Amino acid sequence: MANHMNAAKNKPVGKSLLGGAMIIAGTTVGAGMFSLPVVGAGMWFGYSVLMLLGIWFCMLMSGLLLLETNLHFEPGASFDTLTKETLGQFWRIVNGVSIAFVLYILTYAYISGGGSIVNHSLQGMGIELPQSVAGLVFAVVLACIVLISTKAVDRITTIMLGGMIITFFLAIGNLLIEIDVAKLLEPDGKQSFMPYLWAALPFGLASFGYHGNVPSLVKYYGKDSSTIFKAIFVGTFIALIIYACWLVATMGNIPRSQFSEIIAQGGNMGVLVGALSKVMESSWLNSMLTLFANLAVASSFLGVTLGLFDYLADLFGFDDTRYGRMKTAIVTFVPPTIFGLLFPDGFLIAIGFAALAATVWAVIVPALMAYKSRQLFPNHQGFRVFGGTPLIILVVLFGVVTGACHLLAMANLLPQFS
Ligand SMILES: N[C@@H](Cc1ccccc1)C(=O)O
């Protein structure tokens, strides 16, 4: 839901802390959330919550380190300027490529997840479609909104965000009441948990990604470091609470052994939501849950593709005329949609690769930039993240270890629950 940062850029809205916190929470909570119970099934609830806490802390710190660097520059300076001025041309290019890669692969992940959830919804109405076609419908409808204008995206996602909050609490509230504590605390299946942590780390990292919005917040609030700090803290904390509730709701209702089936079917969004739907008594609440999942993935799609659309228009120099926007739309949407048609079930794999690229620009580069900017501006009196160099080392290590886990998991060298 990165589009709310565009809202911040364009509209003279009241600059309350809440607005900034919602921008961050909106971007953070997205499709990554739907991967968490599936990849966390092996280690189950306790370790999953511990992992989320650790990742939340590291991702909060990397965002604050990015803020620290950003505050040395004029509001409006973006990643490109920050990397160029602190780390030089090499990192500027590595960073730019990794951002573009994340945006593209997330677009594909959303088409895959969106197709899966649209299909699940249509089945509820008695309509059968191949999942790839459902993905195509999902992509074409939402791409048209992006093609119309930024304003259209802003309006529609604001409505979607409201809808998400309402449907989340209605559906999850009920699931939270119905949970079976034994399922949560005494999981069935193979009694080995901790080794499955490693393969899940990249998914946790992707779920806490929001860093593209930090420069937007600086542009929005100016150099008001204390408000931006609070907005990032509160926004990511809201995401942490939502994820914890989501884990309680899913793992408290679906037994661990049943996750094997979900994983065997590809672990896509529709399969998970379908399994949850089966345990929900009321068909009305069931619709709320399905609606929530649709809104979550649709609003993330709009936010991310709007970012990609603007990025590509700038990169290729396409103008804002009807013809120019058409060209930008083609390079933005056609490649991920073709992938979505060819590989409709790559949702989890795509989120994993998004995490790999995000370790670069959302974790390692912000830490390195903060290290460098402390050398460049040694007498700076303003905002500085606590913890000195040890904290920077911790954040870099977190990024490197998580990236390595993704590669090892791809090579089948890490234990994976099945
Ligand atoms: N956190 C987002 C993904 C994301 C990653 C990195 C940056 C921005 C967004 C999600 O879960 O859908």
Side-chain angles (χ1 to χ4, degrees), residues 27-33 102-103 106 110 205-212 243 300 304 351 354 358 361-362:
T27 305
T28 312
V29 179
M33 172 174 156
V102 167
L103 295 177
L106 282 178
Y110 295 147
L205 185 147
S207 307
F208 279 104
Y210 62 88
H211 300 62
Y243 294 168
S300 298
V304 163
I351 299 277
W361 67 272

Side-chain angles (χ1 to χ4, degrees), residues 66 70 75-79 82 211-220:
L66 177 59
N70 208 155
S78 73
F79 268 99
L82 302 188
H211 300 62
N213 283 12
V214 173
S216 322
L217 282 191
V218 175
K219 187 166 176 176
Y220 179 45

Side-chain angles (χ1 to χ4, degrees), residues 39 43 51 195-203 405-406 409 414-417:
V39 299
M43 61 177 157
M51 177 189 88
Y196 298 115
L197 172 81
W198 304 108
L201 280 180
F203 296 88
C405 281
H406 173 77
L414 285 181
Q416 285 182 62
F417 187 71

Side-chain angles (χ1 to χ4, degrees), residues 127-347:
I127 304 171
E128 288 289 337
L129 266 188
Q131 186 168 308
S132 50
V133 177
L136 182 68
V137 173
F138 177 86
V140 169
V141 170
L142 293 172
C144 287
I145 300 175
V146 177
L147 187 58
I148 296 169
S149 70
T150 306
K151 207 183 229 153
V153 175
D154 275 344
R155 290 224 176 101
I156 289 179
T157 25
T158 307
I159 298 169
M160 285 183 173
L161 191 62
M164 274 170 71
I165 293 172
I166 297 168
T167 51
F168 181 78
F169 283 107
L170 285 175
I172 301 296
N174 187 67
L175 279 169
L176 287 178
I177 296 167
E178 284 180 3
I179 60 157
D180 176 358
V181 182
K183 282 203 188 87
L184 262 192
L185 303 180
E186 293 152 31
D188 57 355
K190 195 170 155 221
Q191 293 300 303
S192 155
F193 303 96
M194 167 72 192
Y196 298 115
L197 172 81
W198 304 108
L201 280 180
F203 296 88
L205 185 147
S207 307
F208 279 104
Y210 62 88
H211 300 62
N213 283 12
V214 173
S216 322
L217 282 191
V218 175
K219 187 166 176 176
Y220 179 45
Y221 287 111
K223 291 196 173 185
D224 179 359
S225 61
S226 102
T227 307
I228 304 176
F229 169 84
K230 285 183 207 143
I232 297 178
F233 183 90
V234 173
T236 55
F237 191 72
I238 292 174
L240 178 67
I241 301 294
I242 290 181
Y243 294 168
C245 290
W246 175 237
L247 286 183
V248 174
T250 46
M251 294 181 172
N253 285 290
I254 305 173
R256 184 166 177 251
S257 50
Q258 207 181 317
F259 271 97
S260 304
E261 238 170 87
I262 296 176
I263 294 167
Q265 291 175 51
N268 209 331
M269 288 179 62
V271 184
L272 173 67
V273 172
L276 264 184
S277 301
K278 279 197 206 116
V279 297
M280 291 177 96
E281 301 271 312
S282 144
S283 70
W284 183 76
L285 287 170
N286 207 330
S287 318
M288 287 297 110
L289 178 69
T290 312
L291 187 58
F292 167 73
N294 275 297
L295 290 173
V297 67
S299 60
S300 298
F301 178 94
L302 289 175
V304 163
T305 54
L306 187 63
L308 183 61
F309 189 91
D310 290 343
Y311 180 86
L312 292 173
D314 188 39
L315 187 71
F316 291 118
F318 295 149
D319 58 20
D320 207 34
T321 60
R322 185 163 287 266
Y323 181 58
R325 288 184 76 86
M326 207 58 214
K327 285 193 285 192
T328 316
I330 289 171
V331 281
T332 307
F333 296 110
V334 171
T337 308
I338 290 178
F339 259 78
L341 279 171
L342 294 178
F343 311 105
D345 262 326
F347 175 70

